[in-house]
Amino acid sequence: MSDLPNCPACASEFSYDDGLQYVCPECGYEWSRVAGEEGEDDLSSVRDANGNILIDGDSVTVIKDLKVKGSSLIVKVGTKVKNIRLVDGDHDIDCKIDGIGPMKLKSEFVKKA
Ligand SMILES: [Zn+2]
C-alpha cells in the first residue's frame, strides 16, 4: 500500500485508508481521499486535446478532419460545434453539427472554443 499519501499534518508514512478517508495513526489527522493529486486525475472528467475539462453546453472546435461514419462527409478542422453534450463511451461528445447533423465526437479531437 505504498500509494497512500503521507500525512499532510506530520508527514508520517503510516497513514491508512479507512474506507472513507485517510487517517494518520501517529497524530490522528484525518483527511479526504479526494484531496490533492487524486482530484487532479479525476478520470470521470472529459477533457479536450489541451487537457481542459469539458462540460455540457460547451462550444468546441474540431482540430482534425473527421470522417462521418456511414457517409462521405467530413467534419473539417476548425469546425465549430456548439452546445455539446457529454456521454459515456469511446466517443464521449454528443453534438449537432451544421450541415451534417447529429453525431458523436471524441474529446481528444476537439478543443474548447
Ligand atoms: Zn499525522
Side-chain angles (χ1 to χ4, degrees), residues 15-91:
S15 52
Y16 63 92
D17 183 345
D18 79 350
L20 292 170
Q21 58 194 352
Y22 295 126
V23 180
C24 173
E26 297 204 51
C27 70
Y29 189 78
E30 298 174 347
W31 69 103
S32 167
R33 297 205 296 174
V34 295
E37 294 169 40
E38 298 226 352
E40 291 295 312
D41 287 318
D42 184 359
L43 293 174
S44 67
S45 306
V46 174
R47 291 167 190 264
D48 72 3
N50 295 326
N52 295 312
I53 292 175
L54 298 171
I55 56 169
D56 284 355
D58 268 349
S59 295
V60 297
T61 304
V62 176
I63 60 163
K64 179 178 187 286
D65 282 352
L66 300 171
K67 268 194 173 171
V68 180
K69 250 190 193 164
S71 83
S72 57
L73 295 170
I74 287 177
V75 180
K76 294 264 183 172
V77 154
T79 301
K80 288 206 168 157
V81 184
K82 284 183 201 163
N83 199 21
I84 61 166
R85 203 166 61 83
L86 302 180
V87 294
D88 283 334
D90 183 30
H91 290 65

